[in-house]
Each structure stands twice: as C-alpha cells, then as structure tokens.
Amino acid sequence: MLNHFDADRFDWTILASYDDEVLGPDGGNVVRCWGINAGSVLCHLIGTQVIVVAHATDGADLSGRPVSSRMRAALATVQRILVHCDADVERLRTFGLSANVEMLAHGFPDIVAHDGKSVRARLGIPQDSFVIGTYGFMLPAKGIDTLIEAFSMLRPVRPDARLLLANAMYPHPISQDCLATCERVAMDRGVRDHVVLETRFLSDDESAELLSASDVVVFPYRSGMDSSSAAVRVGLASGRPVLCTPASIFSDVAAIVHFFDGFAAEDISRGLQPLLGRSGVDEALRSTCAADGGGGETPAPSCAWACEVRYADPVSRVFKLRRAIV
C-alpha cells in the first residue's frame, strides 16, 4: 500500500528488528536497529512516535503477571495500535487499552481478470479438469497437508481433478519441514502426479493469475491464526468461489466466502463434492456475489465489499490510515 503514496510528499522510514532470514533485500528506507523486545523503548528514547500493528490479539493475556503489566503500560504510551477487526478492538478494551486503538481493515488488491484457460495451458492442466487451488505461505497452520488428504478423497469421483498449490516458501526451517510433509502426504495418498506446486514468492497479480486456473480456491487453515487474512483477499481477487475452514481469521469476509463444517480432511472433501460439476461452481459464484449485493452476476473482485478497501484507488484508504495515526 505504501507504493501508492506520493513519494514527493511522504518520506517513510521503517525501523525493523534484526533478522537473518528475510524474503529479500531490504529497501533503502528500512533500518534494522533493534532486538525483538526493544523496539518501543528505542523509539521512545529517540523521540519517535510509535505505531503498533497487531495482527492478532486472540489468546493474549496482558493481566496478572509483572511482564504483562509492563507490556500493557508500554502499549498505552504508543501513538496508535492498529488492528484488523472489531473483535481485536473489543479485546484490547478489556485490557484497558482503548484511547489509542484504531481498526484498519486489510486492503483488497484490485487485480485485472486473467485468462484461466491460458494459465492452464501453460501449466499443462487439461481444460476440462476440475482444479482446486490454494494460496499462502508454506506453513503448518495453513492446513495444506489436510487439503491434500481431502483432495485424495475426491479423486474417485473426479479422476481428472488437479490440486494447484500456490504456496511460497517462508524463510524459516519450519516451511521446509511443511513442504516435506506435504510431499510425503501426496506420495502416500497416490496423488503427487496430480498436484501442481508453485513455491516461489509471487506478486499479488501473479498469484491471482495463477489462481485463475482454478475452479475453486480453498483456504484450509487450522484454528488459532491471525485475526484477519490477507491471503484470502488474493483468492477472492482471482474471481473464483472461495471456500474456507471455520477459522475466526475469516470472520471479516464471512459474507462473501463459503465455509466447510469443520477443519478435518473429511469436512473439506464433503464440502467440495457439491461443486465438482460446472453448475456447482457457477452457483457458488452467483451466491457469493448475491450475498455482497452484486446481484449474482458480478465477479467477486468488483463487489461492493472489495471496492471499499481496494489498494488501487487508495484515496479513501489513505484517509483512513491518516485518521488512524494522526
């Protein structure tokens, strides 16, 4: 989103913690200058206003222990605490933090529609195959191995089905372990030859283009994740029906996604079975848009919900950010 600010009017400096494992080289405006627990203290010492972005507060306990009391006191002194859902606002209020808390919803990437047929041709996927896509970092909490299991259960019904995993590697050993687990599950279930795996880190537009080859996009996350998902927005931007496990991370997009009954492979397989035909996918897409006021004819990326927070027209979003931090 920062790329949409006028560089002649805004001068951004990002103070970050030391980290040996990063996705790529830092930009010229990134200064790594503090350890993981010293950032707020350092910024106060140099007279810098501190803005904290909290991606999750569920499960946080800021009461009853000396270290937690210090944390609460430190958070009370920062200029703003930005959270991504109303539940986090309410949760922080119960901790005695409210005057400096502001809700700023995740943005929505405004992406041009892609030709899924040409993407399938490039990937070597038959045009008449039923393709299940997913997206996000290759991490255990994403539930990718469970999705592979669910996919294997669908193969007797749709032998031509393919699984498209757009899951970039995360710069941590746990990501490599997760990949090894997924490869093993795919081999054990006899579906490895029917899985298309993309582990490079792609731009939002490249990711949406890849996902456009899917009939449906699935987010099989396990519970206990962040408060809001940026990845699901890229899935929605692909214009395909999106199905999610009932994790609270998807609560802010509940009106425009479909939910499985649970988190198990059986739940995901059972939820996908009605969509295995073309008519099932079309009905899912119509109901998605109708739920968001699109009248059942408009693809998900242009629905009213997405337009309110899209990146490509940043005027209102910049205003909200300015209001949140000033």
Side-chain angles (χ1 to χ4, degrees), residues 27 35 54 121 126 129 183 265 305:
S129 293
E183 293 273 14
W305 174 89

Side-chain angles (χ1 to χ4, degrees), residues 62 72-73 75-76 81 89 92-101:
L62 302 184
R72 185 173 59 232
L75 288 173
I81 304 172
V89 175
L92 290 176
R93 187 190 66 77
T94 66
F95 298 152
L97 299 167
S98 60
N100 61 345
V101 176

Side-chain angles (χ1 to χ4, degrees), residues 79-246:
Q79 184 183 9
R80 284 290 185 273
I81 304 172
L82 302 182
V83 295
H84 298 312
C85 68
D86 292 329
D88 282 335
V89 175
E90 178 60 24
R91 191 173 296 111
L92 290 176
R93 187 190 66 77
T94 66
F95 298 152
L97 299 167
S98 60
N100 61 345
V101 176
E102 188 84 19
M103 202 280 282
L104 187 69
H106 268 307
F108 188 92
D110 189 26
I111 298 173
V112 177
H114 296 284
D115 180 7
K117 291 183 178 180
S118 64
V119 178
R120 286 193 180 202
R122 189 177 75 231
L123 296 174
I125 299 175
Q127 296 297 333
D128 57 351
S129 293
F130 184 82
V131 181
I132 301 168
T134 191
Y135 174 74
F137 281 115
M138 180 66 71
L139 293 171
K142 306 294 186 181
I144 305 165
D145 54 335
T146 303
L147 178 58
I148 296 172
E149 291 184 39
F151 172 71
S152 70
M153 298 175 187
L154 296 171
R155 289 273 302 157
V157 183
R158 284 295 300 262
D160 64 327
R162 297 291 190 274
L163 183 60
L164 175 57
L165 304 180
N167 299 114
M169 299 301 293
Y170 193 79
H172 191 282
I174 196 173
S175 186
Q176 193 63 49
D177 293 342
C178 182
L179 175 60
T181 297
C182 291
E183 293 273 14
R184 184 176 65 252
V185 172
M187 292 295 293
D188 291 345
R189 294 280 179 162
V191 297
R192 183 62 187 88
D193 291 342
H194 305 280
V195 175
V196 179
L197 180 61
E198 174 58 78
T199 60
R200 293 176 300 162
F201 183 80
L202 304 176
S203 69
D204 285 348
D205 189 57
E206 291 171 325
S207 299
E209 179 184 20
L210 191 63
L211 292 175
S212 72
S214 305
D215 288 290
V216 296
V217 181
V218 174
F219 290 88
Y221 288 21
R222 299 184 170 101
S223 57
M225 299 284 292
D226 291 344
S227 297
S228 182
S229 170
V232 74
R233 285 153 168 80
V234 176
L236 288 165
S238 72
R240 310 314 302 144
V242 172
L243 296 91
C244 306
T245 50

Side-chain angles (χ1 to χ4, degrees), residues 84-87 227-229 245-255 257 259:
H84 298 312
C85 68
D86 292 329
S227 297
S228 182
S229 170
T245 50
S248 60
I249 190 172
F250 303 118
S251 60
D252 61 338
V253 294
V257 301
F259 286 102

